[in-house]
Amino acid sequence: QVQLAESGGGAVQAGGSLRLSCAASGYIYWSCMGWFRQVPGKEREAIGVINNYGDGWYTDIAKGRFTNSRDDAKLTLYLQMNNLKPADTAMYYCAAKGGGARCGRDTQVDFQPGSFDYWGQGTQVTVSS
């Protein structure tokens, strides 16, 4: 069983930066992990996914502003967010696939929330103009 806990969210002005962390307990080695976000009334959308080798794939949301990284020795996933915009205001979630499932073979599948088995509770990011 994998448990995930996000931290690092908060309020920031447009143009600022935040670094989100996701602490994992349980077996995440080899597992694909990812970051998603959601605003009330809208579907959860992918930001990016990362495999155990540190290779990352991103949706247009990231557009060079967001970067995934992971430290499996620390069981931690990170999301560095730069040049934040008010449109980035959302609840941010980290996720992990179960059973050591990989990512990168088909990112259109990887970017679907349904392809992930474990989720954190989320951390709120609010960007003011």
Side-chain angles (χ1 to χ4, degrees), residues 73-88:
K74 296 181 179 179
L75 297 179
T76 304
L77 176 71
Y78 302 98
L79 181 67
Q80 178 67 42
M81 304 189 295
N82 298 324
N83 191 22
L84 284 161
K85 304 174 182 180
D88 295 318

Side-chain angles (χ1 to χ4, degrees), residues 30-33 49-53 55-58 97 100-112 115-116:
W30 304 107
S31 295
C32 177
M33 299 189 74
V49 299
I50 183 170
N51 66 13
N52 60 296
Y53 298 109
D55 301 318
W57 294 266
Y58 300 93
K97 293 189 178 185
R102 313 293 179 90
C103 54
R105 182 172 298 177
D106 186 343
T107 55
Q108 293 308 306
V109 173
D110 294 334
F111 291 156
Q112 298 302 313
S115 67
F116 285 80

Side-chain angles (χ1 to χ4, degrees), residues 8-75:
V12 64
Q13 289 190 327
S17 298
L18 282 174
R19 188 192 194 200
L20 305 185
S21 298
C22 172
S25 61
Y27 188 84
I28 63 165
Y29 305 106
W30 304 107
S31 295
C32 177
M33 299 189 74
W35 286 98
F36 294 76
R37 72 184 188 186
Q38 189 172 22
V39 298
K42 292 190 175 182
E43 293 185 352
R44 191 167 297 188
E45 56 184 357
I47 296 169
V49 299
I50 183 170
N51 66 13
N52 60 296
Y53 298 109
D55 301 318
W57 294 266
Y58 300 93
T59 65
D60 287 344
I61 290 175
K63 290 183 178 178
R65 298 185 298 129
F66 297 175
T67 305
N68 266 329
S69 62
R70 62 191 283 173
D71 185 338
D72 283 5
K74 296 181 179 179
L75 297 179

